[in-house]
C-alpha cells in the first residue's frame, strides 16, 4: 500500500464540484482581502479537500471554501458546505494552474 494512503485518516471520494474560495483569518473574521476565486474540488474527505485552480493563487495560510452541491429539483438551489481549513500542500498543475491540499478544521451546511 502507498505510504501516503496509509497516513490518511479518512476515506477520500473523487467528487468535482464548483466552489468559491477566499482567504480566512482564524479569529472568526473575514480577511481584508475578501475577493473570492473560483475553484473545483477534486476529492473530498471528512478531514480535508483537494482543490484545483486555473491559475496560481496563495500557497499557504487559511481559507474558507463554499462548495455548492447539485440541486435535487430544478426549482431549488443546491445546498452548500462552508469549509474552513489550513493549506498543507500546494503544487503546480499542468497545463496551467495549481492544486491545494487543505485540512478541514470546521464545516457547516448552508442553504
Amino acid at each position: 500500500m502507498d505510504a501516503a494512503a496509509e497516513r490518511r485518516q479518512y476515506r477520500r471520494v473523487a467528487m468535482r464540484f464548483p466552489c468559491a474560495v477566499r482567504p480566512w483569518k482564524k479569529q472568526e473574521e473575514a480577511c481584508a482581502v475578501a475577493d473570492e476565486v473560483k475553484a473545483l474540488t477534486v476529492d473530498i474527505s471528512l478531514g480535508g479537500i483537494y482543490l484545483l485552480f486555473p491559475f496560481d493563487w496563495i500557497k499557504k495560510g487559511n481559507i474558507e471554501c463554499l462548495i455548492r452541491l447539485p440541486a435535487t429539483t430544478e426549482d431549488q438551489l443546491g445546498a452548500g458546505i462552508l469549509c474552513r481549513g489550513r493549506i498543507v500542500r500546494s503544487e503546480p498543475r499542468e497545463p496551467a494552474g495549481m492544486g491545494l491540499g487543505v485540512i478541514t478544521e470546521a464545516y457547516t451546511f448552508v442553504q
Side-chain angles (χ1 to χ4, degrees), residues 2 6 8 10-11 13-14 16 26 36 45 48 53 64-66 68 76 88 90-91 99 101 110:
D2 181 59
E6 289 179 27
R8 291 191 188 107
Y10 304 103
R11 189 174 137 249
V13 179
R16 292 190 179 247
K26 283 192 168 195
E36 292 183 345
S45 77
F53 294 82
E64 184 175 73
C65 176
L66 177 61
R68 271 288 163 205
Q76 286 184 317
V88 293
S90 66
E91 56 194 10
V110 295

Side-chain angles (χ1 to χ4, degrees), residues 14-91:
M15 301 182 103
R16 292 190 179 247
F17 294 115
C19 56
V21 185
R22 66 181 177 191
W24 167 67
K25 284 186 180 179
K26 283 192 168 195
Q27 294 81 13
E28 300 297 320
E29 58 187 67
C31 285
V33 179
D35 292 338
E36 292 183 345
V37 296
K38 301 297 180 196
L40 184 68
T41 65
V42 174
D43 60 47
I44 302 172
S45 77
L46 186 58
I49 54 178
Y50 188 80
L51 301 168
L52 185 59
F53 294 82
F55 50 84
D56 199 23
W57 199 53
I58 62 174
K59 293 177 175 54
K60 61 182 181 176
N62 298 298
I63 63 166
E64 184 175 73
C65 176
L66 177 61
I67 303 167
R68 271 288 163 205
L69 303 176
T72 54
T73 63
E74 288 183 26
D75 60 341
Q76 286 184 317
L77 255 179
I81 302 172
L82 181 63
C83 303
R84 290 181 175 155
R86 177 173 42 92
I87 298 169
V88 293
R89 187 174 88 222
S90 66
E91 56 194 10

